[in-house]
Amino acid sequence: MSNIELVQCVECRMFRPSSSVVSGNFTCDRCVLVSTLTEKITALEERIQTLERVRESESSLISLEDSLGAAGGDSQSPTPALEPSQRGKWVTTRRHTRAAKAKAKAKAKAKAKASPPEHSTPALHVSNRFAPLSDSPAEKPGRTLVIGDSIMRHVKLARPLGAPAAVVRCIPGARVPDIEGNLRALGQHSFSKIVVHAGANDIRLRQSEVTKNNFKEVFKLAKAMSEVVIFSGPLPMRRGDITYSRLWSLNRWMSRWCSENNVGFIDNWRTFEGKPGLLGRDGVHPTREGAALISCSIAHSLRSGLASR
């Protein structure tokens, strides 16, 4: 009989029997499963938040249409009566006499003569509710754009004296192609500087080469829209060894590629590594203190000129 040794899981710190030699980075099957389920739950939560925002936009559009319809004139269509199946099992009906019908018709004619309905309908303004950057005043010269996923939720940049305020756009659940699509939605708008933060949601696809090519395409588009382009690196999220390893590999590639192509790069990994108080309970999003630290790093990079030439 072979000897069975006990190894300790790096996540739950529990011991598990193992008949073979295991390295020091052993993760038990339960922790791997928990990490996978946690990533799926996070993706679903972000999807729910996106659907809720879409539903709120649709509700506001419906309310706008109702208010415009009410202001169009007095000739409104009467509220349709409920069908018997909608009222309940038993329905009580009333028989309308000819005299009552004639009286109601005469009253309607008199009202129409007194206040004739207006045929002019106010114009309905239609806009694309799926363009989160369409309402940003990006056409002002010297403006800085910071765009990224939910990590940018609480990022705020101080406004220097005499300089235009920076535009910070947070798109929860966004991947690199989503950032590219939002930049294209700006059309001919231009910025003096653009800071892009993405990548944490892309590693779930496990297509590292595709992600790298997407970053290159975003850089080309951002470079055509601004004088300065800066990439903000990923955070060291604690969602299991697999997620941690993929994020670390992405951070190393971004650091090397930006240096070789003279592109600005913010190394958030070095700032957040070994400081658990900068990340929230989910191990993904920064705390208020962490968001303030990211804001300072971005502001420092913009001032020191760490940008593509």
Side-chain angles (χ1 to χ4, degrees):
M1 179 181 298
S2 59
N3 296 330
I4 299 178
E5 298 181 357
L6 295 178
V7 293
Q8 187 179 22
C9 176
V10 296
E11 294 290 337
C12 63
R13 316 304 297 179
M14 298 294 292
F15 288 91
R16 297 286 188 272
S18 175
S19 58
S20 58
V21 179
V22 182
S23 62
N25 293 328
F26 171 73
T27 304
C28 64
D29 296 339
R30 292 183 179 179
C31 292
V32 173
L33 179 59
V34 169
S35 175
T36 303
L37 293 177
T38 304
E39 292 181 358
K40 292 182 179 180
I41 291 174
T42 303
L44 290 175
E45 290 176 350
E46 294 174 352
R47 179 60 178 169
I48 290 174
Q49 293 177 1
T50 303
L51 293 177
E52 287 179 352
R53 289 195 302 274
V54 172
R55 185 177 61 180
E56 291 176 359
S57 301
E58 292 179 348
S59 301
S60 61
L61 182 59
I62 293 175
S63 301
L64 177 61
E65 293 177 352
D66 293 340
S67 61
L68 291 176
D74 296 331
S75 57
Q76 298 180 358
S77 59
T79 304
L82 294 176
E83 297 295 335
S85 59
Q86 296 176 333
R87 292 181 177 178
K89 185 175 182 182
W90 300 97
V91 179
T92 303
T93 60
R94 293 182 179 181
R95 181 176 297 177
H96 300 279
T97 60
R98 294 183 179 178
K101 291 181 179 180
K103 185 177 179 180
K105 188 178 295 185
K107 186 177 180 180
K109 289 182 179 180
K111 185 177 180 180
K113 291 180 179 179
S115 57
E118 298 179 359
H119 297 285
S120 60
T121 303
L124 178 62
H125 176 70
V126 180
S127 60
N128 183 11
R129 63 176 183 269
F130 297 103
L133 294 176
S134 59
D135 57 345
S136 60
E139 61 276 4
K140 295 182 179 181
R143 187 171 293 271
T144 298
L145 171 65
V146 180
I147 183 172
D149 53 21
S150 56
I151 303 299
M152 299 287 104
R153 179 171 294 137
H154 301 295
V155 170
K156 297 180 180 179
L157 299 181
R159 179 178 180 178
L161 183 62
V167 178
V168 180
R169 284 292 178 265
C170 170
I171 309 173
R175 296 187 175 95
V176 180
D178 299 322
I179 302 297
E180 180 181 0
N182 279 272
L183 290 178
R184 293 188 182 279
L186 292 173
Q188 300 299 325
H189 294 182
S190 60
F191 298 88
S192 61
K193 301 174 183 178
I194 295 181
V195 181
V196 178
H197 182 95
N201 297 305
D202 297 81
I203 64 171
R204 299 173 184 171
L205 302 177
R206 300 185 178 183
Q207 298 176 350
S208 58
E209 296 302 323
V210 175
T211 301
K212 295 176 183 178
N213 292 331
N214 291 337
F215 268 109
K216 296 176 183 178
E217 293 299 324
V218 167
F219 168 73
K220 293 179 182 178
L221 179 59
K223 185 58 180 176
M225 300 172 59
S226 66
E227 301 174 358
V228 174
V229 179
I230 300 176
F231 280 148
S232 176
L235 306 183
M237 301 177 181
R238 293 295 181 181
R239 282 297 180 89
D241 291 343
I242 298 177
T243 301
Y244 185 88
S245 176
R246 290 184 177 275
L247 286 173
W248 169 240
S249 298
L250 178 62
N251 183 78
R252 286 193 304 172
W253 175 83
M254 291 181 65
S255 176
R256 183 175 62 255
W257 185 85
C258 290
S259 177
E260 294 174 353
N261 294 272
N262 199 21
V263 180
F265 178 71
I266 301 174
D267 192 356
N268 295 310
W269 196 281
R270 181 181 302 177
T271 305
F272 279 74
E273 179 65 13
K275 301 176 182 178
L278 299 179
L279 292 178
R281 295 182 179 179
D282 58 357
V284 175
H285 297 91
T287 59
R288 295 283 182 174
E289 182 181 357
L293 192 59
I294 295 176
S295 303
C296 292
S297 299
I298 294 176
H300 174 73
S301 298
L302 294 173
R303 290 194 303 267
S304 59
L306 299 177
S308 58
R309 302 298 181 185

